[in-house]
């Protein structure tokens, strides 16, 4: 009889794990949901809410889903690059018509913007495990884990000061001088998450020029295109840096601008130094994707593909995206008008802004007013409704740290 081989004092496999804290942003969804107060205000996670407080499926998305139910004939595998027509349709939206024709840029479909960011980080690590990525602070809390999980070292540089409500541009540029050729710079393409504070076009030009001169590689996270100042305006910075740099990455997401959040719909584009180099990158992306998710989920990309290939649906999507963008802008204007100390909010873009609030103040707002925002003071502007925006403003100005 075979003897069981045990090492008495060694813990079993899973007993070696340490407990992990729940993701703070995702936990906010559950906390807000569990609050029975009818007048609670959920400005936590980044989802669009309409005037009635709902997150409805866009008309064009519903129509595309109906078309897919009627016409899709197979669910057979598409391959690790996903839906290549989807990627081709996204290209000009991100890079413009001219940029989209650049044969040094290759792209694959990914499971949302997170999948794109992770795939890009893996590609970086595979290409050069010594490459570091410079990331302005504060940033989206999942950037660090996504990048470091792939083994890429993250170097923190200043970006924004919450108290003075301004971008620390000179400080950031100074800190970037530490970067070596081949290092990466993470940039939020538009609608900076968590601060809403975007670089001006002149600042983008300066960054693009700096990156090009120093042989750095921009890694742009473009998750909110169309929700700041419109599709074209929101892509200007990305196009400037990608055009200037010899090599670049862009992690793109359709989750917010098509409102298909849980479908996880995005893409990763990589610019190489040459067409041949781009082909090598493409092969590596396929191999890395194959080891992580094999093939990306299809449904969200099929929806986007159907919309963008149909002039009527495309026009309707554009119109609804403009409505969403206008609603965000009008809420920003209302908050700004409420109090001088909130005036900065109208100069910022997208779903988020960050209030100078202590963690205690954030928790107090949660307990006494049912206001759910991230511990950092980040709030989702469009989580507010026409009815509660003034109540929100009144409660937060009481607690501002400056
Ligand atoms: C957010 O920042 O709220 C969104 O990007 C959702 C997420 O995955 O964190």
């Amino acid at each position: 009889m075979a003897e069981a081989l045990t090492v008495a004092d060694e813990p079993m496999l899973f007993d070696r794990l340490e407990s992990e804290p729940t993701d703070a942003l995702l936990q906010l969804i559950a906390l807000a949901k569990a609050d029975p107060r009818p007048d609670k205000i959920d400005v936590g996670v980044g989802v669009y809410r309409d005037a009635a407080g709902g997150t409805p499926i866009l008309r064009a998305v519903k129509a595309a889903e109906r078309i897919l139910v009627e016409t899709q004939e197979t669910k057979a595998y598409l391959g690790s690059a996903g839906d290549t027509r989807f990627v081709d349709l996204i290209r000009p939206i991100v890079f413009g018509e001219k940029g989209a024709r650049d044969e040094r840029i290759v792209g694959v479909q990914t499971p949302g913007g997170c999948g794109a960011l992770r795939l890009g980080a893996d590609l970086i690590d595979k290409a050069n495990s010594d490459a570091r990525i410079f990331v302005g602070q504060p940033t989206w809390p999942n950037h660090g884990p996504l990048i470091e999980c792939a083994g890429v070292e993250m170097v923190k540089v200043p970006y924004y000061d919450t108290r003075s409500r301004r971008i620390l541009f000179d400080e950031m540029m100074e800190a970037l001088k530490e970067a070596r050729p081949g290092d990466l710079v993470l940039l939020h393409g538009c609608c900076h998450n968590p601060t809403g504070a975007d670089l001006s076009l002149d600042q983008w030009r300066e960054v693009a020029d700096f990156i090009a001169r120093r042989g750095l590689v921009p890694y742009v996270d473009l998750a909110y295109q169309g929700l700041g100042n419109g599709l074209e305006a929101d892509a200007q910075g990305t196009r400037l840096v990608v055009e200037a740099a010899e090599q670049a990455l862009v992690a793109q997401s359709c989750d917010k601008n098509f409102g298909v959040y849980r479908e996880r719909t995005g893409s990763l584009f990589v610019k190489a130094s040459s067409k041949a180099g781009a082909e090598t990158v493409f092969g590596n992306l396929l191999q890395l994707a194959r080891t992580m998710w094999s093939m990306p989920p299809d449904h969200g990309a099929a929806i986007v593909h159907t919309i963008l290939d149909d002039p009527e649906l495309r026009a309707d999507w554009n119109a609804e995206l403009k409505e969403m963008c206008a609603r965000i802008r009008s809420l920003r204007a209302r908050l700004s008008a409420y109090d001088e100390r909130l005036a900065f909010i109208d100069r910022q873009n997208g779903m988020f802004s960050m209030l100078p609030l202590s963690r205690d103040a954030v928790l107090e707002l949660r307990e006494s007013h049912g206001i759910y925002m991230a511990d950092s003071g980040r709030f989702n502007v469009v989580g507010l409704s026409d009815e509660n925006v003034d109540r929100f403003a009144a409660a937060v100005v009481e607690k501002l740290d400056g």
Side-chain angles (χ1 to χ4, degrees):
M1 200 177 87
E3 241 177 71
L5 196 61
T6 53
V7 185
D9 294 331
E10 286 293 304
M12 280 293 285
L13 180 63
F14 302 127
D15 302 329
R16 292 164 188 266
L17 293 173
E18 283 173 17
S19 59
E20 285 279 355
T22 318
D23 181 278
L25 273 178
L26 301 184
Q27 197 181 21
L28 264 184
I29 302 177
L31 282 178
K33 209 169 170 191
D35 187 331
R37 285 174 282 188
D39 59 350
K40 66 191 170 188
I41 301 179
D42 180 3
V43 283
V45 81
V47 290
Y48 178 86
R49 293 221 175 78
D50 62 14
T55 307
I57 299 172
L58 300 190
R59 291 183 302 264
V61 168
K62 263 288 179 213
E65 287 188 306
R66 278 189 213 102
I67 292 173
L68 286 169
V69 166
E70 291 305 322
T71 62
Q72 199 174 45
E73 283 176 348
T74 180
K75 297 278 185 194
Y77 294 129
L78 285 179
S80 297
D83 181 336
T84 53
R85 178 69 186 150
F86 159 81
V87 176
D88 287 346
L89 288 160
I90 293 295
R91 273 175 92 96
I93 294 177
V94 173
F95 300 106
E97 291 300 334
K98 179 170 160 265
R101 289 193 297 272
D102 190 334
E103 293 184 323
R104 292 167 300 176
I105 300 176
V106 285
V108 296
Q109 185 207 326
T110 57
C114 278
L117 284 164
R118 177 60 202 268
L119 181 62
D122 272 302
L123 183 76
I124 293 161
D125 185 59
K126 194 172 176 205
N128 177 11
S129 58
D130 291 331
R132 300 167 303 163
I133 178 155
F134 286 63
V135 182
Q137 302 296 309
T139 196
W140 180 49
N142 207 19
H143 274 146
L146 274 170
I147 290 163
E148 286 171 339
C149 200
V152 182
E153 186 191 335
M154 185 168 100
V155 182
K156 295 180 179 174
V157 296
Y159 179 76
Y160 181 80
D161 178 52
T162 314
R163 241 161 170 265
S164 61
R165 300 142 166 91
R166 66 179 190 95
I167 293 179
L168 302 171
F169 188 70
D170 294 341
E171 293 84 339
M172 175 181 84
M173 296 307 284
E174 190 56 35
L176 287 180
K177 288 185 182 157
E178 288 297 312
R180 301 184 289 254
D183 278 342
L184 294 105
V185 183
L186 186 87
L187 297 161
H188 296 230
C190 63
C191 308
H192 187 274
N193 179 4
T195 69
D198 289 334
L199 297 178
S200 68
L201 265 191
D202 280 343
Q203 288 172 329
W204 274 107
R205 276 189 203 99
E206 217 176 298
V207 170
D209 180 58
F210 181 89
I211 280 177
R213 273 190 290 110
R214 298 211 170 215
L216 305 178
V217 181
Y219 192 168
V220 182
D221 183 356
L222 187 61
Y224 296 86
Q225 191 183 354
L227 292 165
N229 292 295
L231 278 175
E232 280 298 297
D234 289 352
Q236 295 308 315
T238 304
R239 292 178 193 172
L240 276 170
V241 284
V242 172
E243 203 179 316
E246 181 173 333
Q247 303 193 342
L249 300 97
V250 180
Q252 179 273 345
S253 174
C254 296
D255 291 335
K256 323 277 177 167
N257 55 12
F258 281 83
V260 291
Y261 309 92
R262 66 174 76 156
E263 300 296 353
R264 314 306 304 141
T265 309
S267 52
L268 176 70
F269 292 96
V270 182
K271 178 182 178 186
S273 303
S274 63
K275 187 178 173 205
E279 278 161 19
T280 305
V281 164
F282 189 68
N284 276 270
L285 290 177
L286 298 188
Q287 181 271 333
L288 289 168
R290 179 75 168 140
T291 62
M292 286 196 284
W293 46 75
S294 184
M295 291 158 224
D298 178 64
H299 189 62
I303 291 168
V304 171
H305 164 166
T306 305
I307 293 172
L308 295 179
D309 251 346
D310 179 312
E312 264 179 47
L313 292 184
R314 190 182 186 120
D316 197 33
W317 166 65
N318 257 303
E320 262 188 306
L321 182 58
K322 280 189 185 143
E323 275 168 39
M324 292 197 282
C325 186
R327 179 169 163 69
I328 295 173
R329 292 250 63 102
S330 86
L331 284 162
R332 285 189 172 282
R334 276 190 64 181
L335 286 168
S336 284
Y338 188 87
D339 189 287
E340 181 53 28
R341 285 167 296 167
L342 300 180
F344 69 101
I345 294 174
D346 201 27
R347 297 190 293 273
Q348 301 182 334
N349 302 311
M351 288 190 178
F352 309 113
S353 278
M354 203 158 171
L355 295 163
L357 292 171
S358 68
R359 187 165 182 272
D360 283 351
V362 169
L363 294 182
E364 240 177 270
L365 285 165
R366 202 174 291 172
E367 265 165 37
S368 50
H369 296 269
I371 293 175
Y372 287 82
M373 71 173 82
D375 289 359
S376 61
R378 184 198 87 165
F379 73 103
N380 174 16
V381 176
V382 78
L384 295 168
S385 70
D386 297 340
E387 172 271 314
N388 64 25
V389 58
D390 289 344
R391 189 154 51 87
F392 171 84
V396 298
V397 289
E398 288 291 303
K399 302 251 181 282
L400 288 179
D401 239 5

mmCIF file of all heavy atoms in Angstrom, residues 268-305:
data_model
loop_
_atom_site.group_PDB
_atom_site.id
_atom_site.type_symbol
_atom_site.label_atom_id
_atom_site.label_comp_id
_atom_site.label_asym_id
_atom_site.label_seq_id
_atom_site.Cartn_x
_atom_site.Cartn_y
_atom_site.Cartn_z
ATOM 1 N N LEU A 268 -6.424 46.901 -27.358
ATOM 2 C CA LEU A 268 -5.072 47.406 -27.111
ATOM 3 C C LEU A 268 -4.423 47.659 -28.456
ATOM 4 O O LEU A 268 -4.418 46.783 -29.336
ATOM 5 C CB LEU A 268 -4.229 46.389 -26.341
ATOM 6 C CG LEU A 268 -2.764 46.835 -26.139
ATOM 7 C CD1 LEU A 268 -2.664 48.006 -25.160
ATOM 8 C CD2 LEU A 268 -1.897 45.679 -25.637
ATOM 9 N N PHE A 269 -3.905 48.881 -28.641
ATOM 10 C CA PHE A 269 -3.166 49.227 -29.853
ATOM 11 C C PHE A 269 -1.704 49.447 -29.480
ATOM 12 O O PHE A 269 -1.410 50.049 -28.438
ATOM 13 C CB PHE A 269 -3.728 50.505 -30.477
ATOM 14 C CG PHE A 269 -5.113 50.328 -31.041
ATOM 15 C CD1 PHE A 269 -6.231 50.659 -30.294
ATOM 16 C CD2 PHE A 269 -5.293 49.807 -32.315
ATOM 17 C CE1 PHE A 269 -7.506 50.471 -30.806
ATOM 18 C CE2 PHE A 269 -6.560 49.620 -32.839
ATOM 19 C CZ PHE A 269 -7.677 49.952 -32.076
ATOM 20 N N VAL A 270 -0.832 48.957 -30.335
ATOM 21 C CA VAL A 270 0.606 49.152 -30.089
ATOM 22 C C VAL A 270 1.243 49.684 -31.351
ATOM 23 O O VAL A 270 1.014 49.150 -32.448
ATOM 24 C CB VAL A 270 1.297 47.831 -29.670
ATOM 25 C CG1 VAL A 270 2.771 48.069 -29.377
ATOM 26 C CG2 VAL A 270 0.621 47.226 -28.440
ATOM 27 N N LYS A 271 2.023 50.757 -31.184
ATOM 28 C CA LYS A 271 2.782 51.306 -32.314
ATOM 29 C C LYS A 271 4.223 50.825 -32.187
ATOM 30 O O LYS A 271 4.872 51.030 -31.152
ATOM 31 C CB LYS A 271 2.735 52.839 -32.284
ATOM 32 C CG LYS A 271 3.550 53.477 -33.398
ATOM 33 C CD LYS A 271 3.516 55.004 -33.283
ATOM 34 C CE LYS A 271 4.361 55.646 -34.360
ATOM 35 N NZ LYS A 271 4.457 57.111 -34.188
ATOM 36 N N ALA A 272 4.719 50.191 -33.238
ATOM 37 C CA ALA A 272 6.118 49.747 -33.255
ATOM 38 C C ALA A 272 6.908 50.693 -34.164
ATOM 39 O O ALA A 272 6.349 51.617 -34.767
ATOM 40 C CB ALA A 272 6.190 48.313 -33.760
ATOM 41 N N SER A 273 8.213 50.452 -34.271
ATOM 42 C CA SER A 273 9.052 51.375 -35.049
ATOM 43 C C SER A 273 8.882 51.180 -36.553
ATOM 44 O O SER A 273 9.213 52.068 -37.341
ATOM 45 C CB SER A 273 10.525 51.184 -34.697
ATOM 46 O OG SER A 273 10.708 51.378 -33.325
ATOM 47 N N SER A 274 8.399 50.012 -36.954
ATOM 48 C CA SER A 274 8.262 49.735 -38.384
ATOM 49 C C SER A 274 7.094 48.780 -38.585
ATOM 50 O O SER A 274 6.580 48.198 -37.622
ATOM 51 C CB SER A 274 9.537 49.050 -38.903
ATOM 52 O OG SER A 274 9.678 47.793 -38.237
ATOM 53 N N LYS A 275 6.736 48.585 -39.852
ATOM 54 C CA LYS A 275 5.641 47.661 -40.154
ATOM 55 C C LYS A 275 6.038 46.230 -39.741
ATOM 56 O O LYS A 275 5.241 45.496 -39.154
ATOM 57 C CB LYS A 275 5.348 47.727 -41.652
ATOM 58 C CG LYS A 275 4.136 46.955 -42.045
ATOM 59 C CD LYS A 275 3.849 47.076 -43.522
ATOM 60 C CE LYS A 275 2.720 46.127 -43.864
ATOM 61 N NZ LYS A 275 2.716 45.698 -45.234
ATOM 62 N N ALA A 276 7.291 45.878 -40.004
ATOM 63 C CA ALA A 276 7.756 44.528 -39.643
ATOM 64 C C ALA A 276 7.749 44.371 -38.123
ATOM 65 O O ALA A 276 7.344 43.327 -37.591
ATOM 66 C CB ALA A 276 9.161 44.290 -40.201
ATOM 67 N N GLY A 277 8.186 45.429 -37.421
ATOM 68 C CA GLY A 277 8.186 45.388 -35.956
ATOM 69 C C GLY A 277 6.764 45.224 -35.438
ATOM 70 O O GLY A 277 6.525 44.517 -34.451
ATOM 71 N N ALA A 278 5.814 45.875 -36.101
ATOM 72 C CA ALA A 278 4.411 45.790 -35.673
ATOM 73 C C ALA A 278 3.895 44.363 -35.845
ATOM 74 O O ALA A 278 3.114 43.879 -35.022
ATOM 75 C CB ALA A 278 3.563 46.772 -36.470
ATOM 76 N N GLU A 279 4.334 43.696 -36.898
ATOM 77 C CA GLU A 279 3.899 42.303 -37.103
ATOM 78 C C GLU A 279 4.415 41.409 -35.972
ATOM 79 O O GLU A 279 3.720 40.521 -35.487
ATOM 80 C CB GLU A 279 4.367 41.792 -38.462
ATOM 81 C CG GLU A 279 3.427 42.256 -39.574
ATOM 82 C CD GLU A 279 4.053 42.198 -40.961
ATOM 83 O OE1 GLU A 279 5.058 41.487 -41.152
ATOM 84 O OE2 GLU A 279 3.526 42.901 -41.854
ATOM 85 N N THR A 280 5.651 41.669 -35.552
ATOM 86 C CA THR A 280 6.215 40.890 -34.436
ATOM 87 C C THR A 280 5.424 41.167 -33.156
ATOM 88 O O THR A 280 5.099 40.252 -32.394
ATOM 89 C CB THR A 280 7.704 41.269 -34.235
ATOM 90 O OG1 THR A 280 8.371 41.069 -35.472
ATOM 91 C CG2 THR A 280 8.355 40.429 -33.147
ATOM 92 N N VAL A 281 5.105 42.451 -32.933
ATOM 93 C CA VAL A 281 4.310 42.801 -31.748
ATOM 94 C C VAL A 281 2.983 42.062 -31.790
ATOM 95 O O VAL A 281 2.538 41.467 -30.797
ATOM 96 C CB VAL A 281 4.063 44.337 -31.702
ATOM 97 C CG1 VAL A 281 2.945 44.681 -30.727
ATOM 98 C CG2 VAL A 281 5.339 45.075 -31.317
ATOM 99 N N PHE A 282 2.351 42.070 -32.957
ATOM 100 C CA PHE A 282 1.035 41.436 -33.094
ATOM 101 C C PHE A 282 1.103 39.951 -32.705
ATOM 102 O O PHE A 282 0.267 39.456 -31.945
ATOM 103 C CB PHE A 282 0.546 41.608 -34.539
ATOM 104 C CG PHE A 282 -0.884 41.178 -34.747
ATOM 105 C CD1 PHE A 282 -1.919 41.886 -34.168
ATOM 106 C CD2 PHE A 282 -1.181 40.061 -35.520
ATOM 107 C CE1 PHE A 282 -3.248 41.487 -34.352
ATOM 108 C CE2 PHE A 282 -2.502 39.656 -35.705
ATOM 109 C CZ PHE A 282 -3.535 40.372 -35.113
ATOM 110 N N GLY A 283 2.115 39.266 -33.197
ATOM 111 C CA GLY A 283 2.284 37.843 -32.870
ATOM 112 C C GLY A 283 2.451 37.635 -31.377
ATOM 113 O O GLY A 283 1.898 36.698 -30.787
ATOM 114 N N ASN A 284 3.184 38.550 -30.747
ATOM 115 C CA ASN A 284 3.389 38.441 -29.301
ATOM 116 C C ASN A 284 2.096 38.717 -28.536
ATOM 117 O O ASN A 284 1.817 38.088 -27.517
ATOM 118 C CB ASN A 284 4.497 39.400 -28.852
ATOM 119 C CG ASN A 284 5.878 38.793 -29.037
ATOM 120 O OD1 ASN A 284 6.390 38.135 -28.135
ATOM 121 N ND2 ASN A 284 6.456 38.958 -30.216
ATOM 122 N N LEU A 285 1.314 39.681 -29.017
ATOM 123 C CA LEU A 285 0.027 39.969 -28.362
ATOM 124 C C LEU A 285 -0.879 38.742 -28.415
ATOM 125 O O LEU A 285 -1.544 38.398 -27.438
ATOM 126 C CB LEU A 285 -0.675 41.160 -29.045
ATOM 127 C CG LEU A 285 -0.043 42.539 -28.833
ATOM 128 C CD1 LEU A 285 -0.803 43.603 -29.628
ATOM 129 C CD2 LEU A 285 -0.036 42.914 -27.345
ATOM 130 N N LEU A 286 -0.897 38.085 -29.576
ATOM 131 C CA LEU A 286 -1.746 36.894 -29.711
ATOM 132 C C LEU A 286 -1.305 35.808 -28.740
ATOM 133 O O LEU A 286 -2.128 35.175 -28.072
ATOM 134 C CB LEU A 286 -1.700 36.346 -31.140
ATOM 135 C CG LEU A 286 -2.213 37.261 -32.255
ATOM 136 C CD1 LEU A 286 -2.288 36.501 -33.573
ATOM 137 C CD2 LEU A 286 -3.572 37.848 -31.918
ATOM 138 N N GLN A 287 0.005 35.625 -28.639
ATOM 139 C CA GLN A 287 0.519 34.575 -27.759
ATOM 140 C C GLN A 287 0.199 34.901 -26.297
ATOM 141 O O GLN A 287 -0.235 34.031 -25.537
ATOM 142 C CB GLN A 287 2.037 34.433 -27.993
ATOM 143 C CG GLN A 287 2.720 33.364 -27.178
ATOM 144 C CD GLN A 287 3.215 33.890 -25.827
ATOM 145 O OE1 GLN A 287 3.505 35.076 -25.673
ATOM 146 N NE2 GLN A 287 3.289 32.998 -24.851
ATOM 147 N N LEU A 288 0.369 36.168 -25.897
ATOM 148 C CA LEU A 288 0.081 36.545 -24.505
ATOM 149 C C LEU A 288 -1.408 36.424 -24.203
ATOM 150 O O LEU A 288 -1.803 35.926 -23.149
ATOM 151 C CB LEU A 288 0.560 37.981 -24.233
ATOM 152 C CG LEU A 288 2.073 38.176 -24.171
ATOM 153 C CD1 LEU A 288 2.424 39.666 -24.182
ATOM 154 C CD2 LEU A 288 2.664 37.512 -22.920
ATOM 155 N N ALA A 289 -2.229 36.876 -25.150
ATOM 156 C CA ALA A 289 -3.683 36.781 -24.944
ATOM 157 C C ALA A 289 -4.098 35.322 -24.803
ATOM 158 O O ALA A 289 -4.915 34.965 -23.960
ATOM 159 C CB ALA A 289 -4.425 37.441 -26.113
ATOM 160 N N ARG A 290 -3.502 34.477 -25.601
ATOM 161 C CA ARG A 290 -3.829 33.043 -25.576
ATOM 162 C C ARG A 290 -3.571 32.426 -24.198
ATOM 163 O O ARG A 290 -4.300 31.554 -23.750
ATOM 164 C CB ARG A 290 -2.975 32.340 -26.644
ATOM 165 C CG ARG A 290 -3.181 30.849 -26.740
ATOM 166 C CD ARG A 290 -4.485 30.515 -27.412
ATOM 167 N NE ARG A 290 -4.579 29.108 -27.758
ATOM 168 C CZ ARG A 290 -5.686 28.376 -27.623
ATOM 169 N NH1 ARG A 290 -6.798 28.919 -27.173
ATOM 170 N NH2 ARG A 290 -5.695 27.119 -27.968
ATOM 171 N N THR A 291 -2.536 32.940 -23.513
ATOM 172 C CA THR A 291 -2.228 32.377 -22.197
ATOM 173 C C THR A 291 -3.095 32.982 -21.096
ATOM 174 O O THR A 291 -3.122 32.459 -19.987
ATOM 175 C CB THR A 291 -0.743 32.590 -21.816
ATOM 176 O OG1 THR A 291 -0.492 33.999 -21.753
ATOM 177 C CG2 THR A 291 0.192 31.949 -22.818
ATOM 178 N N MET A 292 -3.742 34.108 -21.387
ATOM 179 C CA MET A 292 -4.555 34.728 -20.324
ATOM 180 C C MET A 292 -6.040 34.447 -20.489
ATOM 181 O O MET A 292 -6.708 34.021 -19.573
ATOM 182 C CB MET A 292 -4.292 36.224 -20.267
ATOM 183 C CG MET A 292 -2.938 36.529 -19.655
ATOM 184 S SD MET A 292 -2.765 38.245 -19.137
ATOM 185 C CE MET A 292 -2.517 39.035 -20.701
ATOM 186 N N TRP A 293 -6.583 34.753 -21.664
ATOM 187 C CA TRP A 293 -8.027 34.521 -21.863
ATOM 188 C C TRP A 293 -8.307 33.790 -23.164
ATOM 189 O O TRP A 293 -9.461 33.637 -23.538
ATOM 190 C CB TRP A 293 -8.814 35.837 -21.801
ATOM 191 C CG TRP A 293 -8.195 36.954 -22.609
ATOM 192 C CD1 TRP A 293 -8.206 37.090 -23.972
ATOM 193 C CD2 TRP A 293 -7.483 38.103 -22.115
ATOM 194 N NE1 TRP A 293 -7.554 38.233 -24.364
ATOM 195 C CE2 TRP A 293 -7.099 38.878 -23.243
ATOM 196 C CE3 TRP A 293 -7.149 38.554 -20.838
ATOM 197 C CZ2 TRP A 293 -6.386 40.069 -23.115
ATOM 198 C CZ3 TRP A 293 -6.449 39.743 -20.737
ATOM 199 C CH2 TRP A 293 -6.069 40.478 -21.853
ATOM 200 N N SER A 294 -7.277 33.386 -23.829
ATOM 201 C CA SER A 294 -7.383 32.655 -25.088
ATOM 202 C C SER A 294 -8.032 33.501 -26.173
ATOM 203 O O SER A 294 -7.403 33.843 -27.166
ATOM 204 C CB SER A 294 -8.146 31.338 -24.907
ATOM 205 O OG SER A 294 -8.129 30.642 -26.122
ATOM 206 N N MET A 295 -9.289 33.855 -25.957
ATOM 207 C CA MET A 295 -9.982 34.757 -26.873
ATOM 208 C C MET A 295 -10.862 35.691 -26.044
ATOM 209 O O MET A 295 -11.439 35.243 -25.056
ATOM 210 C CB MET A 295 -10.871 33.969 -27.833
ATOM 211 C CG MET A 295 -10.057 33.165 -28.810
ATOM 212 S SD MET A 295 -11.012 31.824 -29.456
ATOM 213 C CE MET A 295 -9.806 30.510 -29.357
ATOM 214 N N PRO A 296 -10.988 36.947 -26.451
ATOM 215 C CA PRO A 296 -11.808 37.854 -25.637
ATOM 216 C C PRO A 296 -13.291 37.534 -25.802
ATOM 217 O O PRO A 296 -13.699 36.989 -26.830
ATOM 218 C CB PRO A 296 -11.475 39.238 -26.211
ATOM 219 C CG PRO A 296 -11.054 38.974 -27.623
ATOM 220 C CD PRO A 296 -10.407 37.619 -27.636
ATOM 221 N N PRO A 297 -14.123 37.903 -24.796
ATOM 222 C CA PRO A 297 -15.572 37.682 -24.936
ATOM 223 C C PRO A 297 -16.109 38.478 -26.126
ATOM 224 O O PRO A 297 -15.665 39.595 -26.378
ATOM 225 C CB PRO A 297 -16.133 38.211 -23.615
ATOM 226 C CG PRO A 297 -15.096 39.117 -23.071
ATOM 227 C CD PRO A 297 -13.774 38.613 -23.567
ATOM 228 N N ASP A 298 -17.054 37.900 -26.845
ATOM 229 C CA ASP A 298 -17.446 38.470 -28.135
ATOM 230 C C ASP A 298 -18.564 39.503 -28.072
ATOM 231 O O ASP A 298 -18.590 40.450 -28.867
ATOM 232 C CB ASP A 298 -17.885 37.324 -29.053
ATOM 233 C CG ASP A 298 -18.354 37.828 -30.419
ATOM 234 O OD1 ASP A 298 -17.501 38.385 -31.137
ATOM 235 O OD2 ASP A 298 -19.550 37.702 -30.736
ATOM 236 N N HIS A 299 -19.515 39.319 -27.167
ATOM 237 C CA HIS A 299 -20.790 40.022 -27.311
ATOM 238 C C HIS A 299 -20.652 41.554 -27.380
ATOM 239 O O HIS A 299 -21.240 42.192 -28.256
ATOM 240 C CB HIS A 299 -21.744 39.615 -26.181
ATOM 241 C CG HIS A 299 -23.137 40.124 -26.368
ATOM 242 N ND1 HIS A 299 -23.924 39.759 -27.438
ATOM 243 C CD2 HIS A 299 -23.885 40.994 -25.634
ATOM 244 C CE1 HIS A 299 -25.100 40.366 -27.351
ATOM 245 N NE2 HIS A 299 -25.098 41.125 -26.267
ATOM 246 N N GLY A 300 -19.884 42.146 -26.463
ATOM 247 C CA GLY A 300 -19.739 43.599 -26.460
ATOM 248 C C GLY A 300 -19.131 44.108 -27.759
ATOM 249 O O GLY A 300 -19.599 45.103 -28.331
ATOM 250 N N ALA A 301 -18.094 43.427 -28.224
ATOM 251 C CA ALA A 301 -17.440 43.862 -29.470
ATOM 252 C C ALA A 301 -18.392 43.692 -30.651
ATOM 253 O O ALA A 301 -18.414 44.524 -31.576
ATOM 254 C CB ALA A 301 -16.158 43.062 -29.695
ATOM 255 N N ALA A 302 -19.210 42.632 -30.621
ATOM 256 C CA ALA A 302 -20.170 42.422 -31.715
ATOM 257 C C ALA A 302 -21.207 43.549 -31.727
ATOM 258 O O ALA A 302 -21.611 44.030 -32.795
ATOM 259 C CB ALA A 302 -20.853 41.064 -31.547
ATOM 260 N N ILE A 303 -21.595 44.006 -30.543
ATOM 261 C CA ILE A 303 -22.549 45.132 -30.455
ATOM 262 C C ILE A 303 -21.925 46.387 -31.072
ATOM 263 O O ILE A 303 -22.512 47.054 -31.927
ATOM 264 C CB ILE A 303 -22.915 45.422 -28.970
ATOM 265 C CG1 ILE A 303 -23.742 44.282 -28.393
ATOM 266 C CG2 ILE A 303 -23.641 46.748 -28.838
ATOM 267 C CD1 ILE A 303 -23.892 44.359 -26.868
ATOM 268 N N VAL A 304 -20.709 46.708 -30.617
ATOM 269 C CA VAL A 304 -20.035 47.932 -31.086
ATOM 270 C C VAL A 304 -19.806 47.856 -32.597
ATOM 271 O O VAL A 304 -20.054 48.823 -33.340
ATOM 272 C CB VAL A 304 -18.706 48.135 -30.314
ATOM 273 C CG1 VAL A 304 -17.886 49.270 -30.918
ATOM 274 C CG2 VAL A 304 -18.989 48.395 -28.836
ATOM 275 N N HIS A 305 -19.356 46.719 -33.057
ATOM 276 C CA HIS A 305 -19.117 46.483 -34.484
ATOM 277 C C HIS A 305 -20.412 46.722 -35.281
ATOM 278 O O HIS A 305 -20.427 47.426 -36.295
ATOM 279 C CB HIS A 305 -18.594 45.039 -34.579
ATOM 280 C CG HIS A 305 -18.601 44.386 -35.905
ATOM 281 N ND1 HIS A 305 -17.906 43.226 -36.149
ATOM 282 C CD2 HIS A 305 -19.217 44.656 -37.072
ATOM 283 C CE1 HIS A 305 -18.084 42.860 -37.389
ATOM 284 N NE2 HIS A 305 -18.887 43.701 -37.969
#
